[in-house]
Amino acid sequence: MTTTATDLEKAMAFDEAARVAHELRVKQDQRNRRARYLKHLFLILVSVVMLYPLFWLVASSLKPETQIFGSLSLWPEEFHFDNYTRGWNALPISFTVFYMNSAIVTLLSVVGNLISCSFAAYAFARLQFTGRTIWFALMMMTLMIPYHVVLIPQYVQFLKLGWVDTYLPLVVPKFLASDAFFIFLMVQFFRQLPRELDEAAMIDGCSPFKIYWAIILPLSLPAMGTAAIFSLIWVWEDFLAPLIYLNDIKSYTVPLALRLFLDQEGESAYGQMFAMSVLSLVPVVIFFVAFQKLIVRGIATSGMK
Amino acid sequence: MKRILARNAPGYLFLSPWLLGFFLLALGPILASLYLSFTRYDMVSDPRWIGWGNYEYMFTRDRRFWKALEVTFTYVAFAVPLRLAFALAVAMLLDKGLKTIGLYRAIFYLPSLLGASIAIAILWRELFSATGVVNQMLALVGIEGTDWITNPKTSIYTLVMLAVWQFGSPMLIFLAGLRGIPKDLYEAAEIDGTPRWRRFTRITLPLLAPVIFFNLVLQTIDAFKTFSSAFIISNGTGAPADSLLFFTVYLFNEAFKFFRMGYASALAWVLLIIIGVFTALAFLSSKYWVHYDNDRD
């Protein structure tokens, strides 16, 4: 076999083409890398701006009163935990009570939301009954209604029932699925579960409640978890309903207690106010970290991309 | 008859907590609120029917009502577009070319979870106060700031900033939407030499329209309902000079400070109608700019 000139030329041309392609790729890579660095730089900058207020809050809570408004620094010269110990008892009632109150309201609300909303969602997503579409449409419409519209008649009603200054107006609505958003969230999830499961269970003689309890709920843990976390955070931070229904300081939740600091601003207890503010955010941040994992697991188990 | 009952019983049984709530906590109160809005009611004596009196006073003589509308609409007009623009811009940065977005996503989302809390409202007051962090930073570059919170000209924008700071939740929804756009569309456009801006306006925006629509409706409704942060930052009154008199703050004061329950109910109905009109407008306009996937094939 002899190599002809044309073959040689072809081979060289290929070689050249490969070299050019390689160079282009290297250049492209370099450009991509530079773009990526720029992107990271920008995103880090945004992150710093986003987090700065939070870090400033934490730093200020650790500084003595006189140094809070003097500096931008995020590192206290000396750590001053006084604000926490004194702030905890700065109000006529200790924060232990406020945290207990908030915990009771939050816990009951989350339980109420999970039970009542999953009941309603199960009915909407898996059961056949007349009027289902109409009720579903009405449920979706309640999503749009501002709380302020139902607030006044609800208040009048709860006052007549003697429920003002108890936790009932805060908690009972949760057992009646008043947070329609969670119904919607669960309906979306329940609908994705294969229908064959219900049908097979029904043929085996399972009651609708058995199907809900033994099949739907165990398969929906990610959705239930998401609903639990969101409802926990929202109730924990809720301000309007406690503001209206709780008048006695002994029954105050944490957000109401924080507001008391503002009324005493003249006494310049900024450090203590910031310290208690930081503490009030801690549960949310902790649950946020857990929530992140839950989302990832939820996405993995449900096979969504 | 028995069969109808047997078929419907499980459904209605499971639905019963919600049904009870719907009638007692939603439908009933809404109708009661409508009735009260035509009365004078101070919670001491029974409601007294005054026809359109509340609405007439509101629209013709109540300056604070118009002020509350102005404040709320200004807030909505700035906060919603800015928050969405930020959310979309950052979502697009995160969507392409980066492998580790988890941490950024978490950092950007965190303020959305904390933003509604009283702690953050308190923090915001101090950040923008005369001696606060913002003014100290401005001083570094030689700008003399004002007392942002007590200056009626600037106070509303501190709340707009607070809203923009919470761009994380619409960002997450945009991210999910961007994932759904086929990547080969961008590759094809890039090979054809389509400039970046046109790729954005011709591919990203149209295909993302349903998600933008969803976010727009959600965020607008939310913005109209803003209460806690405005209440805390304005000391519960809408001060300074009513520049933070959000509609909800005005309503709260009328109802629970002055016990003008009838008038406050009328205010609540106006709010309901405004939100209803905006939602309806969004849905009506959506046919012109939102095209769902299924009309493509």
Side-chain angles (χ1 to χ4, degrees):
Chain A
M1 279 280 212
T2 50
T3 321
T4 61
T6 43
D7 277 342
L8 203 70
E9 265 163 35
K10 250 190 216 159
M12 277 167 71
F14 272 131
D15 211 40
E16 178 67 12
R19 202 180 53 79
V20 170
H22 176 73
E23 256 170 32
L24 275 176
R25 214 174 302 131
V26 168
K27 238 184 231 161
Q28 179 76 33
D29 276 358
Q30 268 173 351
R31 218 179 317 144
N32 281 349
R33 202 175 306 150
R34 210 175 314 139
R36 215 161 44 227
Y37 284 142
L38 271 176
K39 238 183 232 177
H40 275 295
L41 200 73
F42 180 76
L43 288 170
I44 288 169
L45 208 76
V46 177
S47 305
V48 169
V49 173
M50 295 290 284
L51 290 180
Y52 184 86
L54 296 176
F55 283 127
W56 184 83
L57 180 68
V58 176
S60 300
S61 75
L62 292 165
K63 288 177 184 172
E65 211 64 54
T66 48
Q67 287 172 24
I68 291 177
F69 289 103
S71 81
L72 294 169
S73 105
L74 293 182
W75 199 257
E77 281 166 31
E78 48 176 323
F79 286 85
H80 204 75
F81 288 98
D82 271 23
N83 288 331
Y84 284 85
T85 49
R86 302 216 341 249
W88 190 266
N89 293 308
L91 299 173
I93 301 236
S94 146
F95 261 84
T96 316
V97 175
F98 301 136
Y99 273 86
M100 292 293 283
N101 295 341
S102 269
I104 292 169
V105 172
T106 307
L107 193 75
L108 287 173
S109 298
V110 171
V111 171
N113 262 335
L114 287 185
I115 295 175
S116 64
C117 291
S118 67
F119 268 31
Y122 175 61
F124 281 133
R126 309 297 274 200
L127 297 175
Q128 299 292 332
F129 54 93
T130 19
R132 187 174 70 167
T133 31
I134 296 166
W135 291 124
F136 188 74
L138 285 171
M139 190 272 291
M140 293 301 288
M141 274 172 74
T142 61
L143 281 173
M144 193 199 79
I145 295 165
Y147 183 51
H148 288 83
V149 176
V150 294
L151 189 63
I152 291 166
Q154 277 188 16
Y155 178 78
V156 173
Q157 203 52 51
F158 288 141
L159 190 73
K160 279 186 185 149
L161 287 169
W163 285 9
V164 169
D165 259 324
T166 72
Y167 295 136
L168 292 172
L170 307 181
V171 169
V172 170
K174 311 290 181 192
F175 282 89
L176 299 180
S178 66
D179 286 341
F181 171 76
F182 295 120
I183 304 179
F184 176 65
L185 189 139
M186 290 175 191
V187 165
Q188 297 290 84
F189 197 90
F190 290 176
R191 272 185 184 154
Q192 294 175 11
L193 303 173
R195 289 234 164 246
E196 292 79 25
L197 293 174
D198 304 28
E199 281 154 17
M202 215 130 84
I203 291 164
D204 286 349
C206 281
S207 68
F209 183 78
K210 187 85 195 277
I211 295 173
Y212 160 81
W213 185 252
I215 296 175
I216 301 293
L217 272 197
L219 287 175
S220 305
L221 290 183
M224 300 300 280
T226 308
I229 297 296
F230 269 112
S231 106
L232 187 144
I233 292 175
W234 288 344
V235 175
W236 183 264
E237 292 181 345
D238 187 22
F239 178 65
L240 178 55
L243 179 68
I244 286 165
Y245 290 113
L246 306 176
N247 301 312
D248 182 2
I249 185 172
K250 281 191 222 103
S251 64
Y252 271 19
T253 55
V254 175
L256 287 184
L258 283 179
R259 189 185 164 228
L260 286 183
F261 273 107
L262 288 176
D263 299 338
Q264 312 183 321
E265 229 174 356
E267 296 164 32
S268 74
Y270 284 105
Q272 296 172 21
M273 179 169 79
F274 290 148
M276 292 304 108
S277 298
V278 170
L279 284 187
S280 80
L281 296 178
V282 167
V284 181
V285 174
I286 290 175
F287 277 100
F288 170 61
V289 175
F291 166 71
Q292 282 271 90
K293 281 185 197 148
L294 207 107
I295 278 280
V296 173
R297 212 187 314 147
I299 289 167
T301 45
S302 67
M304 292 184 295
K305 272 199 185 135
Chain B
M1 184 65 203
K2 220 178 207 170
R3 204 179 301 150
I4 293 174
L5 201 72
R7 197 163 53 100
N8 284 316
Y12 278 95
L13 220 59
F14 273 97
L15 208 57
S16 55
W18 176 78
L19 274 174
L20 210 62
F22 175 72
F23 285 109
L24 295 180
L25 300 168
L27 190 63
I30 287 175
L31 295 177
S33 165
L34 182 62
Y35 164 72
L36 285 177
S37 77
F38 291 104
T39 66
R40 180 166 296 154
Y41 183 37
D42 56 7
M43 299 202 55
V44 181
S45 43
D46 283 340
R48 195 160 53 84
W49 185 266
I50 53 166
W52 291 95
N54 285 328
Y55 294 98
E56 215 181 294
Y57 173 76
M58 191 187 298
F59 283 99
T60 56
R61 272 171 294 160
D62 187 1
R63 283 237 188 98
R64 292 193 90 199
F65 164 74
W66 290 105
K67 183 70 192 172
L69 279 185
E70 186 201 316
V71 169
T72 310
F73 274 99
T74 311
Y75 174 78
V76 171
F78 281 98
V80 175
L82 279 175
R83 185 193 266 190
L84 289 184
F86 243 81
L88 182 57
V90 175
M92 284 176 60
L93 267 183
L94 286 180
D95 182 50
K96 267 181 284 172
L98 297 179
K99 275 176 209 125
T100 49
I101 67 162
L103 188 63
Y104 292 125
R105 203 175 44 191
I107 291 173
F108 298 155
Y109 183 62
L110 186 63
S112 292
L113 280 184
L114 304 179
S117 68
I118 297 308
I120 296 298
I122 289 175
L123 166 67
W124 225 251
R125 261 171 77 120
E126 307 311 334
L127 284 182
F128 287 93
S129 71
T131 52
V133 170
V134 172
N135 277 348
Q136 285 177 47
M137 284 190 172
L138 289 176
L140 288 182
V141 289
I143 300 172
E144 198 186 329
T146 151
D147 188 342
W148 305 94
I149 301 279
T150 59
N151 183 341
K153 282 207 187 80
T154 55
S155 54
I156 183 98
Y157 300 104
T158 62
L159 276 156
V160 171
M161 298 277 279
L162 180 55
V164 176
W165 188 60
Q166 299 171 57
F167 70 80
S169 76
M171 178 201 73
L172 285 188
I173 300 173
F174 278 138
L175 261 176
L178 286 169
R179 290 280 146 81
I181 299 178
K183 290 282 170 280
D184 47 339
L185 285 178
Y186 289 107
E187 277 158 25
E190 218 175 330
I191 290 166
D192 289 349
T194 318
R196 202 179 283 250
W197 176 250
R198 272 174 78 89
R199 269 181 268 158
F200 175 70
T201 55
R202 293 297 166 86
I203 301 175
T204 313
L205 278 187
L207 288 180
L208 210 58
V211 183
I212 296 175
F213 170 71
F214 176 77
N215 265 334
L216 186 70
V217 172
L218 224 65
Q219 298 296 327
T220 308
I221 293 178
D222 242 34
F224 273 116
K225 294 197 289 194
T226 304
F227 175 76
S228 310
S229 42
F231 185 84
I232 288 295
I233 291 176
S234 73
N235 271 332
T237 60
D242 281 350
S243 65
L244 290 182
L245 190 67
F246 277 65
F247 205 86
T248 53
V249 174
Y250 185 41
L251 194 160
F252 176 88
N253 278 315
E254 285 297 306
F256 296 100
K257 206 162 156 194
F258 306 116
F259 292 99
R260 292 196 271 261
M261 293 297 186
Y263 193 60
S265 298
L267 287 173
W269 263 83
V270 170
L271 181 66
L272 181 67
I273 288 166
I274 290 174
I275 291 180
V277 166
F278 268 82
T279 315
L281 275 181
F283 273 96
L284 286 178
S285 74
S286 69
K287 33 171 204 251
Y288 300 103
W289 59 281
V290 179
H291 300 282
Y292 291 93
D293 239 5
N294 46 9
D295 19 293
R296 256 194 323 180
D297 9 72

